[in-house]
């Protein structure tokens, strides 16, 4: 997970340097706050591998359509497929996209 998160953060740094810096500044602010008020959160943040403030993990499931009402159009949501699978389809109906993964991908 750390490797994939680092790759995605690096991509964000290239695609949108300001958003990357804002994310890192937000993490730094949270770390400073939690060092004084929430040691459990502070330990977790010291291990957080990405400039993104949220990671959702979906394993072998169909999910309802996702809507993020707190997001802005200029922000990035990144979808990463990690692991080995066959006969997988990632459908994004609002964009009219279906990505078919029909061959086993291995590391």
């Amino acid at each position: 997970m750390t490797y994939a998160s680092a790759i995605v953060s690096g991509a964000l740094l290239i695609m949108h340097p300001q958003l990357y810096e804002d994310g890192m500044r937000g993490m730094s602010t949270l770390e400073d706050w939690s060092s004084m008020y929430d040691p459990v959160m502070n330990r977790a943040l010291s291990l957080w591998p990405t400039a993104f403030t949220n990671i959702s993990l979906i394993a072998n499931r169909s999910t309802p359509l996702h809507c993020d009402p707190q997001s802005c159009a200029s922000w990035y949501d990144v979808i990463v497929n990690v692991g080995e699978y066959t006969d997988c389809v990632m459908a994004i109906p609002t964009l009219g996209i279906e990505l078919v993964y029909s061959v086993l991908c291995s590391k």
Side-chain angles (χ1 to χ4, degrees), residues 31-107:
E31 279 191 76
D32 292 345
W33 177 88
S34 65
S35 69
M36 293 185 289
Y37 300 107
D38 191 338
V40 174
M41 180 185 209
N42 189 256
R43 282 192 300 277
L45 287 170
S46 72
L47 301 172
W48 191 255
T50 179
F52 289 91
T53 57
N54 184 314
I55 294 175
S56 297
L57 177 66
I58 303 167
N60 300 324
R61 296 285 180 255
S62 293
T63 62
L65 292 178
H66 173 76
C67 179
D68 189 353
Q70 303 302 318
S71 187
C72 291
S74 62
W75 295 354
Y76 288 91
D77 288 333
V78 179
I79 299 172
V80 178
N81 294 319
V82 179
E84 297 180 4
Y85 39 82
T86 59
D87 301 322
C88 176
V89 176
M90 183 171 65
I92 307 173
T94 54
L95 297 178
I97 297 172
E98 278 196 3
L99 303 170
V100 178
Y101 301 88
S102 59
V103 178
L104 177 65
C105 299
S106 60
K107 298 175 186 176

Side-chain angles (χ1 to χ4, degrees), residues 18-31:
Q18 186 61 55
L19 188 57
Y20 174 86
E21 291 298 326
D22 291 345
M24 295 305 290
R25 188 172 33 260
M27 288 298 159
S28 179
T29 300
L30 280 174
E31 279 191 76

